[in-house]
């Protein structure tokens, strides 16, 4: 039986590249999304995958999403926690809403989603959890105290959960991408983008497909000895 994978934030950008790659590898894949119905419909039609709407910041929404995926495809074997948002601003002007929105979607979502699937993975003695963090969770970034805190917290979450579940055949790993060629990065002013690229030793942005390649390995049958790791894919911009 093919493995079943669920990718949050899976209908656009990095998430969609991950969905496409896991499906190409023979998995049954569902893509979660929160708001862009047009992108979700395009993803479903073009890739032939199940799409499920819900807010990863809500425990109830995550529970319902997992129930829908399980009913349609079977128990989830691979969870990719990819959904995330930014609400940038320097800390001394940051509102409580900017802080709480980012922590809820980027950090609380790890509990909300992973709690739904971890018991089943332990019972079946096989599971793969891949968390998509960020270079800014490793090095920090001006204007992103909220985002950097959430993404750094993801790394700690990964390590602790990996220790708890290693003997049950469940691996938990983290990927920390640098600047990737997505719509969000493409919206940055040209001069700012040139400055960013100048700081990347390989001299270019990364691609969603490069992130997807690493996720595919970590989600695969041969990655059972890799757990608790944070893998940096940033073109040499930050070497932890």
């Amino acid at each position: 039986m093919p493995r079943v994978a669920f990718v949050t934030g899976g209908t656009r950008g990095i998430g969609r590249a991950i969905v496409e790659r896991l499906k190409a590898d023979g998995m049954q894949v569902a893509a979660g999304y929160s708001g862009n119905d047009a992108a979700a419909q395009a993803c479903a039609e073009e890739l032939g995958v199940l799409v499920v709407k819900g807010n990863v910041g809500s425990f109830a929404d995550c529970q319902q999403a997992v129930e829908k995926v399980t009913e349609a495809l079977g128990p989830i074997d691979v969870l990719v926690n990819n959904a995330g948002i930014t609400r940038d601003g320097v800390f001394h002007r940051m509102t409580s809403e900017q802080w709480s929105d980012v922590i809820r979607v980027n950090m609380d979502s790890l509990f909300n989603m992973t709690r739904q699937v971890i018991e089943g993975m332990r019972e079946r003695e096989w599971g793969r959890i891949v968390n998509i963090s960020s270079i800014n969770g490793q090095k920090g970034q001006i204007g992103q105290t909220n985002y950097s805190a959430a993404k750094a917290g993801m790394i700690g979450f990964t390590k602790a959960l990996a220790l708890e579940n290693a003997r049950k055949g469940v691996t938990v790993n983290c990927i920390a991408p640098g600047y990737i060629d997505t719509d969000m990065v493409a919206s940055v002013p040209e001069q700012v983008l040139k400055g960013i690229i100048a700081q990347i030793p390989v001299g270019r942005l990364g691609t969603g497909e490069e992130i997807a390649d690493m996720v595919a390995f970590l989600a695969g049958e041969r990655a059972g000895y890799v757990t608790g790791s944070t893998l940096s894919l940033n073109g040499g911009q930050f070497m932890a």
Side-chain angles (χ1 to χ4, degrees), residues 172-214:
V172 189
N173 290 289
C174 194
I175 294 175
Y179 287 89
I180 307 300
D181 189 9
T182 62
D183 290 342
M184 183 172 66
V185 172
S187 68
V188 172
E190 184 178 355
Q191 286 302 116
V192 175
L193 187 58
K194 286 181 179 179
I196 291 171
I197 294 173
Q199 298 173 35
I200 303 173
V202 301
R204 64 172 176 85
L205 300 175
T207 68
E209 289 73 21
E210 288 171 316
I211 307 301
D213 286 344
M214 187 57 68

mmCIF file of all heavy atoms in Angstrom, residues 172-214:
data_model
loop_
_atom_site.group_PDB
_atom_site.id
_atom_site.type_symbol
_atom_site.label_atom_id
_atom_site.label_comp_id
_atom_site.label_asym_id
_atom_site.label_seq_id
_atom_site.Cartn_x
_atom_site.Cartn_y
_atom_site.Cartn_z
ATOM 1 N N VAL A 172 11.621 12.387 13.187
ATOM 2 C CA VAL A 172 11.182 13.790 13.193
ATOM 3 C C VAL A 172 12.387 14.642 12.809
ATOM 4 O O VAL A 172 13.407 14.634 13.504
ATOM 5 C CB VAL A 172 10.652 14.219 14.574
ATOM 6 C CG1 VAL A 172 9.997 15.594 14.478
ATOM 7 C CG2 VAL A 172 9.686 13.188 15.144
ATOM 8 N N ASN A 173 12.263 15.352 11.712
ATOM 9 C CA ASN A 173 13.372 16.169 11.233
ATOM 10 C C ASN A 173 12.890 17.543 10.800
ATOM 11 O O ASN A 173 11.693 17.789 10.653
ATOM 12 C CB ASN A 173 14.066 15.470 10.056
ATOM 13 C CG ASN A 173 14.824 14.229 10.492
ATOM 14 O OD1 ASN A 173 15.854 14.314 11.153
ATOM 15 N ND2 ASN A 173 14.295 13.062 10.137
ATOM 16 N N CYS A 174 13.853 18.429 10.610
ATOM 17 C CA CYS A 174 13.561 19.826 10.316
ATOM 18 C C CYS A 174 14.408 20.278 9.124
ATOM 19 O O CYS A 174 15.577 19.886 9.000
ATOM 20 C CB CYS A 174 13.900 20.660 11.551
ATOM 21 S SG CYS A 174 13.253 22.321 11.553
ATOM 22 N N ILE A 175 13.815 21.070 8.264
ATOM 23 C CA ILE A 175 14.547 21.704 7.168
ATOM 24 C C ILE A 175 14.474 23.215 7.368
ATOM 25 O O ILE A 175 13.405 23.759 7.641
ATOM 26 C CB ILE A 175 13.954 21.310 5.805
ATOM 27 C CG1 ILE A 175 14.151 19.810 5.556
ATOM 28 C CG2 ILE A 175 14.584 22.127 4.683
ATOM 29 C CD1 ILE A 175 13.492 19.305 4.295
ATOM 30 N N ALA A 176 15.613 23.874 7.261
ATOM 31 C CA ALA A 176 15.672 25.333 7.427
ATOM 32 C C ALA A 176 16.078 25.961 6.096
ATOM 33 O O ALA A 176 17.268 26.137 5.817
ATOM 34 C CB ALA A 176 16.657 25.708 8.527
ATOM 35 N N PRO A 177 15.093 26.306 5.258
ATOM 36 C CA PRO A 177 15.431 26.926 3.972
ATOM 37 C C PRO A 177 15.932 28.342 4.139
ATOM 38 O O PRO A 177 15.552 29.060 5.078
ATOM 39 C CB PRO A 177 14.093 26.925 3.211
ATOM 40 C CG PRO A 177 13.192 25.998 3.967
ATOM 41 C CD PRO A 177 13.652 26.074 5.393
ATOM 42 N N GLY A 178 16.765 28.748 3.196
ATOM 43 C CA GLY A 178 17.115 30.152 3.068
ATOM 44 C C GLY A 178 16.108 30.842 2.169
ATOM 45 O O GLY A 178 14.912 30.521 2.201
ATOM 46 N N TYR A 179 16.557 31.767 1.349
ATOM 47 C CA TYR A 179 15.649 32.513 0.477
ATOM 48 C C TYR A 179 15.345 31.690 -0.776
ATOM 49 O O TYR A 179 16.235 31.332 -1.540
ATOM 50 C CB TYR A 179 16.255 33.866 0.119
ATOM 51 C CG TYR A 179 16.232 34.815 1.296
ATOM 52 C CD1 TYR A 179 17.291 34.860 2.202
ATOM 53 C CD2 TYR A 179 15.131 35.627 1.531
ATOM 54 C CE1 TYR A 179 17.256 35.707 3.306
ATOM 55 C CE2 TYR A 179 15.078 36.484 2.632
ATOM 56 C CZ TYR A 179 16.145 36.514 3.510
ATOM 57 O OH TYR A 179 16.105 37.343 4.604
ATOM 58 N N ILE A 180 14.057 31.405 -0.959
ATOM 59 C CA ILE A 180 13.590 30.527 -2.020
ATOM 60 C C ILE A 180 12.767 31.328 -3.017
ATOM 61 O O ILE A 180 12.046 32.270 -2.656
ATOM 62 C CB ILE A 180 12.733 29.372 -1.426
ATOM 63 C CG1 ILE A 180 13.512 28.646 -0.317
ATOM 64 C CG2 ILE A 180 12.317 28.405 -2.528
ATOM 65 C CD1 ILE A 180 14.818 28.015 -0.753
ATOM 66 N N ASP A 181 12.846 30.954 -4.264
ATOM 67 C CA ASP A 181 12.180 31.671 -5.348
ATOM 68 C C ASP A 181 10.675 31.379 -5.335
ATOM 69 O O ASP A 181 10.165 30.556 -6.096
ATOM 70 C CB ASP A 181 12.786 31.281 -6.688
ATOM 71 C CG ASP A 181 12.296 32.152 -7.834
ATOM 72 O OD1 ASP A 181 11.612 33.157 -7.557
ATOM 73 O OD2 ASP A 181 12.590 31.830 -9.003
ATOM 74 N N THR A 182 9.965 32.040 -4.435
ATOM 75 C CA THR A 182 8.516 31.899 -4.318
ATOM 76 C C THR A 182 7.852 33.238 -4.624
ATOM 77 O O THR A 182 8.524 34.260 -4.779
ATOM 78 C CB THR A 182 8.126 31.465 -2.892
ATOM 79 O OG1 THR A 182 8.542 32.479 -1.965
ATOM 80 C CG2 THR A 182 8.780 30.139 -2.519
ATOM 81 N N ASP A 183 6.519 33.232 -4.683
ATOM 82 C CA ASP A 183 5.792 34.484 -4.941
ATOM 83 C C ASP A 183 6.097 35.524 -3.869
ATOM 84 O O ASP A 183 6.185 36.722 -4.162
ATOM 85 C CB ASP A 183 4.283 34.215 -4.981
ATOM 86 C CG ASP A 183 3.871 33.413 -6.207
ATOM 87 O OD1 ASP A 183 4.653 33.359 -7.168
ATOM 88 O OD2 ASP A 183 2.767 32.829 -6.195
ATOM 89 N N MET A 184 6.242 35.069 -2.611
ATOM 90 C CA MET A 184 6.492 36.006 -1.521
ATOM 91 C C MET A 184 7.832 36.713 -1.709
ATOM 92 O O MET A 184 7.931 37.936 -1.552
ATOM 93 C CB MET A 184 6.470 35.282 -0.168
ATOM 94 C CG MET A 184 6.661 36.197 1.022
ATOM 95 S SD MET A 184 6.390 35.358 2.605
ATOM 96 C CE MET A 184 7.750 34.184 2.609
ATOM 97 N N VAL A 185 8.864 35.968 -2.066
ATOM 98 C CA VAL A 185 10.178 36.568 -2.282
ATOM 99 C C VAL A 185 10.172 37.414 -3.558
ATOM 100 O O VAL A 185 10.801 38.482 -3.619
ATOM 101 C CB VAL A 185 11.262 35.477 -2.348
ATOM 102 C CG1 VAL A 185 12.606 36.059 -2.763
ATOM 103 C CG2 VAL A 185 11.392 34.787 -0.992
ATOM 104 N N ALA A 186 9.431 36.958 -4.562
ATOM 105 C CA ALA A 186 9.371 37.705 -5.823
ATOM 106 C C ALA A 186 8.735 39.079 -5.649
ATOM 107 O O ALA A 186 8.982 39.991 -6.447
ATOM 108 C CB ALA A 186 8.601 36.902 -6.859
ATOM 109 N N SER A 187 7.940 39.251 -4.593
ATOM 110 C CA SER A 187 7.286 40.531 -4.354
ATOM 111 C C SER A 187 8.211 41.552 -3.692
ATOM 112 O O SER A 187 7.862 42.730 -3.574
ATOM 113 C CB SER A 187 6.044 40.332 -3.480
ATOM 114 O OG SER A 187 6.404 39.934 -2.167
ATOM 115 N N VAL A 188 9.383 41.126 -3.263
ATOM 116 C CA VAL A 188 10.353 42.037 -2.653
ATOM 117 C C VAL A 188 10.871 43.007 -3.719
ATOM 118 O O VAL A 188 11.126 42.601 -4.871
ATOM 119 C CB VAL A 188 11.529 41.224 -2.048
ATOM 120 C CG1 VAL A 188 12.643 42.144 -1.586
ATOM 121 C CG2 VAL A 188 11.035 40.359 -0.896
ATOM 122 N N PRO A 189 11.026 44.286 -3.401
ATOM 123 C CA PRO A 189 11.562 45.248 -4.391
ATOM 124 C C PRO A 189 12.874 44.765 -5.001
ATOM 125 O O PRO A 189 13.702 44.133 -4.322
ATOM 126 C CB PRO A 189 11.764 46.514 -3.553
ATOM 127 C CG PRO A 189 10.752 46.407 -2.459
ATOM 128 C CD PRO A 189 10.672 44.939 -2.133
ATOM 129 N N GLU A 190 13.058 45.068 -6.280
ATOM 130 C CA GLU A 190 14.183 44.539 -7.039
ATOM 131 C C GLU A 190 15.531 44.834 -6.379
ATOM 132 O O GLU A 190 16.398 43.963 -6.292
ATOM 133 C CB GLU A 190 14.166 45.089 -8.459
ATOM 134 C CG GLU A 190 15.257 44.507 -9.337
ATOM 135 C CD GLU A 190 15.193 45.036 -10.769
ATOM 136 O OE1 GLU A 190 14.238 45.776 -11.082
ATOM 137 O OE2 GLU A 190 16.107 44.717 -11.556
ATOM 138 N N GLN A 191 15.724 46.045 -5.922
ATOM 139 C CA GLN A 191 17.005 46.406 -5.314
ATOM 140 C C GLN A 191 17.244 45.651 -4.013
ATOM 141 O O GLN A 191 18.371 45.245 -3.708
ATOM 142 C CB GLN A 191 17.073 47.916 -5.063
ATOM 143 C CG GLN A 191 17.272 48.742 -6.318
ATOM 144 C CD GLN A 191 18.536 48.352 -7.067
ATOM 145 O OE1 GLN A 191 18.473 47.863 -8.206
ATOM 146 N NE2 GLN A 191 19.687 48.536 -6.437
ATOM 147 N N VAL A 192 16.181 45.442 -3.242
ATOM 148 C CA VAL A 192 16.299 44.667 -2.005
ATOM 149 C C VAL A 192 16.649 43.226 -2.330
ATOM 150 O O VAL A 192 17.506 42.606 -1.678
ATOM 151 C CB VAL A 192 14.991 44.751 -1.194
ATOM 152 C CG1 VAL A 192 15.071 43.849 0.048
ATOM 153 C CG2 VAL A 192 14.704 46.190 -0.790
ATOM 154 N N LEU A 193 15.986 42.683 -3.357
ATOM 155 C CA LEU A 193 16.247 41.300 -3.750
ATOM 156 C C LEU A 193 17.688 41.114 -4.218
ATOM 157 O O LEU A 193 18.341 40.110 -3.894
ATOM 158 C CB LEU A 193 15.270 40.881 -4.847
ATOM 159 C CG LEU A 193 15.301 39.402 -5.254
ATOM 160 C CD1 LEU A 193 15.026 38.496 -4.062
ATOM 161 C CD2 LEU A 193 14.283 39.141 -6.362
ATOM 162 N N LYS A 194 18.200 42.099 -4.959
ATOM 163 C CA LYS A 194 19.601 42.019 -5.396
ATOM 164 C C LYS A 194 20.540 41.997 -4.199
ATOM 165 O O LYS A 194 21.543 41.282 -4.193
ATOM 166 C CB LYS A 194 19.931 43.217 -6.306
ATOM 167 C CG LYS A 194 19.341 43.124 -7.700
ATOM 168 C CD LYS A 194 19.738 44.327 -8.546
ATOM 169 C CE LYS A 194 19.167 44.236 -9.957
ATOM 170 N NZ LYS A 194 19.525 45.415 -10.773
ATOM 171 N N GLY A 195 20.214 42.798 -3.168
ATOM 172 C CA GLY A 195 21.036 42.802 -1.960
ATOM 173 C C GLY A 195 21.010 41.466 -1.248
ATOM 174 O O GLY A 195 22.031 41.016 -0.708
ATOM 175 N N ILE A 196 19.848 40.815 -1.229
ATOM 176 C CA ILE A 196 19.735 39.495 -0.604
ATOM 177 C C ILE A 196 20.582 38.480 -1.346
ATOM 178 O O ILE A 196 21.365 37.735 -0.750
ATOM 179 C CB ILE A 196 18.257 39.051 -0.579
ATOM 180 C CG1 ILE A 196 17.461 39.908 0.405
ATOM 181 C CG2 ILE A 196 18.149 37.569 -0.219
ATOM 182 C CD1 ILE A 196 15.963 39.693 0.341
ATOM 183 N N ILE A 197 20.451 38.471 -2.672
ATOM 184 C CA ILE A 197 21.197 37.497 -3.477
ATOM 185 C C ILE A 197 22.705 37.711 -3.334
ATOM 186 O O ILE A 197 23.488 36.754 -3.324
ATOM 187 C CB ILE A 197 20.752 37.567 -4.951
ATOM 188 C CG1 ILE A 197 19.291 37.098 -5.067
ATOM 189 C CG2 ILE A 197 21.661 36.723 -5.845
ATOM 190 C CD1 ILE A 197 18.685 37.271 -6.439
ATOM 191 N N ALA A 198 23.118 38.946 -3.177
ATOM 192 C CA ALA A 198 24.544 39.244 -3.008
ATOM 193 C C ALA A 198 25.111 38.610 -1.740
ATOM 194 O O ALA A 198 26.323 38.381 -1.647
ATOM 195 C CB ALA A 198 24.757 40.754 -2.986
ATOM 196 N N GLN A 199 24.266 38.319 -0.759
ATOM 197 C CA GLN A 199 24.714 37.711 0.489
ATOM 198 C C GLN A 199 24.728 36.175 0.434
ATOM 199 O O GLN A 199 25.158 35.528 1.386
ATOM 200 C CB GLN A 199 23.789 38.153 1.628
ATOM 201 C CG GLN A 199 23.783 39.641 1.884
ATOM 202 C CD GLN A 199 22.732 40.028 2.910
ATOM 203 O OE1 GLN A 199 22.459 39.300 3.849
ATOM 204 N NE2 GLN A 199 22.131 41.195 2.729
ATOM 205 N N ILE A 200 24.255 35.612 -0.665
ATOM 206 C CA ILE A 200 24.173 34.153 -0.798
ATOM 207 C C ILE A 200 25.377 33.665 -1.587
ATOM 208 O O ILE A 200 25.537 34.005 -2.765
ATOM 209 C CB ILE A 200 22.864 33.754 -1.505
ATOM 210 C CG1 ILE A 200 21.651 34.291 -0.740
ATOM 211 C CG2 ILE A 200 22.780 32.228 -1.637
ATOM 212 C CD1 ILE A 200 20.330 34.100 -1.457
ATOM 213 N N PRO A 201 26.267 32.877 -0.978
ATOM 214 C CA PRO A 201 27.491 32.467 -1.659
ATOM 215 C C PRO A 201 27.290 31.805 -3.020
ATOM 216 O O PRO A 201 28.099 32.015 -3.925
ATOM 217 C CB PRO A 201 28.135 31.507 -0.656
ATOM 218 C CG PRO A 201 27.713 32.047 0.664
ATOM 219 C CD PRO A 201 26.293 32.496 0.449
ATOM 220 N N VAL A 202 26.212 31.003 -3.192
ATOM 221 C CA VAL A 202 26.016 30.364 -4.494
ATOM 222 C C VAL A 202 25.474 31.340 -5.535
ATOM 223 O O VAL A 202 25.401 31.012 -6.723
ATOM 224 C CB VAL A 202 25.100 29.123 -4.404
ATOM 225 C CG1 VAL A 202 25.676 28.088 -3.450
ATOM 226 C CG2 VAL A 202 23.679 29.499 -4.008
ATOM 227 N N GLY A 203 25.082 32.536 -5.110
ATOM 228 C CA GLY A 203 24.719 33.586 -6.046
ATOM 229 C C GLY A 203 23.330 33.510 -6.643
ATOM 230 O O GLY A 203 23.065 34.121 -7.687
ATOM 231 N N ARG A 204 22.417 32.808 -5.991
ATOM 232 C CA ARG A 204 21.049 32.718 -6.516
ATOM 233 C C ARG A 204 20.090 32.340 -5.399
ATOM 234 O O ARG A 204 20.516 31.939 -4.305
ATOM 235 C CB ARG A 204 20.966 31.657 -7.624
ATOM 236 C CG ARG A 204 21.256 30.232 -7.150
ATOM 237 C CD ARG A 204 20.982 29.202 -8.233
ATOM 238 N NE ARG A 204 21.330 27.853 -7.828
ATOM 239 C CZ ARG A 204 20.528 27.038 -7.130
ATOM 240 N NH1 ARG A 204 19.324 27.464 -6.748
ATOM 241 N NH2 ARG A 204 20.924 25.822 -6.816
ATOM 242 N N LEU A 205 18.799 32.460 -5.688
ATOM 243 C CA LEU A 205 17.777 31.947 -4.785
ATOM 244 C C LEU A 205 17.670 30.441 -4.931
ATOM 245 O O LEU A 205 18.037 29.870 -5.963
ATOM 246 C CB LEU A 205 16.416 32.582 -5.120
ATOM 247 C CG LEU A 205 16.312 34.101 -5.017
ATOM 248 C CD1 LEU A 205 14.948 34.557 -5.506
ATOM 249 C CD2 LEU A 205 16.562 34.577 -3.592
ATOM 250 N N GLY A 206 17.161 29.804 -3.893
ATOM 251 C CA GLY A 206 16.875 28.386 -3.992
ATOM 252 C C GLY A 206 15.549 28.164 -4.696
ATOM 253 O O GLY A 206 14.807 29.100 -4.997
ATOM 254 N N THR A 207 15.223 26.904 -4.960
ATOM 255 C CA THR A 207 13.951 26.567 -5.605
ATOM 256 C C THR A 207 13.127 25.662 -4.695
ATOM 257 O O THR A 207 13.667 24.938 -3.849
ATOM 258 C CB THR A 207 14.174 25.842 -6.943
ATOM 259 O OG1 THR A 207 14.735 24.539 -6.699
ATOM 260 C CG2 THR A 207 15.108 26.648 -7.848
ATOM 261 N N GLY A 208 11.829 25.712 -4.898
ATOM 262 C CA GLY A 208 10.958 24.827 -4.144
ATOM 263 C C GLY A 208 11.277 23.371 -4.392
ATOM 264 O O GLY A 208 11.167 22.524 -3.487
ATOM 265 N N GLU A 209 11.698 23.073 -5.609
ATOM 266 C CA GLU A 209 12.033 21.689 -5.948
ATOM 267 C C GLU A 209 13.225 21.174 -5.149
ATOM 268 O O GLU A 209 13.283 19.992 -4.795
ATOM 269 C CB GLU A 209 12.318 21.573 -7.459
ATOM 270 C CG GLU A 209 11.100 21.716 -8.346
ATOM 271 C CD GLU A 209 10.577 23.148 -8.438
ATOM 272 O OE1 GLU A 209 11.354 24.092 -8.149
ATOM 273 O OE2 GLU A 209 9.395 23.319 -8.792
ATOM 274 N N GLU A 210 14.171 22.064 -4.841
ATOM 275 C CA GLU A 210 15.326 21.649 -4.033
ATOM 276 C C GLU A 210 14.902 21.325 -2.604
ATOM 277 O O GLU A 210 15.417 20.377 -1.991
ATOM 278 C CB GLU A 210 16.397 22.741 -4.063
ATOM 279 C CG GLU A 210 17.092 22.833 -5.414
ATOM 280 C CD GLU A 210 18.009 24.048 -5.540
ATOM 281 O OE1 GLU A 210 17.603 25.152 -5.138
ATOM 282 O OE2 GLU A 210 19.128 23.877 -6.057
ATOM 283 N N ILE A 211 13.961 22.091 -2.057
ATOM 284 C CA ILE A 211 13.425 21.762 -0.738
ATOM 285 C C ILE A 211 12.659 20.449 -0.801
ATOM 286 O O ILE A 211 12.796 19.583 0.070
ATOM 287 C CB ILE A 211 12.499 22.883 -0.234
ATOM 288 C CG1 ILE A 211 13.204 24.247 -0.280
ATOM 289 C CG2 ILE A 211 12.004 22.568 1.172
ATOM 290 C CD1 ILE A 211 14.467 24.329 0.528
ATOM 291 N N ALA A 212 11.871 20.276 -1.857
ATOM 292 C CA ALA A 212 11.071 19.069 -2.016
ATOM 293 C C ALA A 212 11.936 17.820 -2.110
ATOM 294 O O ALA A 212 11.569 16.753 -1.598
ATOM 295 C CB ALA A 212 10.179 19.192 -3.250
ATOM 296 N N ASP A 213 13.080 17.930 -2.758
ATOM 297 C CA ASP A 213 13.994 16.783 -2.856
ATOM 298 C C ASP A 213 14.424 16.309 -1.473
ATOM 299 O O ASP A 213 14.482 15.106 -1.196
ATOM 300 C CB ASP A 213 15.239 17.151 -3.673
ATOM 301 C CG ASP A 213 14.959 17.245 -5.164
ATOM 302 O OD1 ASP A 213 13.917 16.742 -5.612
ATOM 303 O OD2 ASP A 213 15.787 17.848 -5.878
ATOM 304 N N MET A 214 14.740 17.255 -0.596
ATOM 305 C CA MET A 214 15.177 16.884 0.745
ATOM 306 C C MET A 214 14.024 16.307 1.559
ATOM 307 O O MET A 214 14.199 15.342 2.309
ATOM 308 C CB MET A 214 15.781 18.096 1.450
ATOM 309 C CG MET A 214 16.411 17.776 2.801
ATOM 310 S SD MET A 214 17.715 16.510 2.687
ATOM 311 C CE MET A 214 18.964 17.434 1.770
#
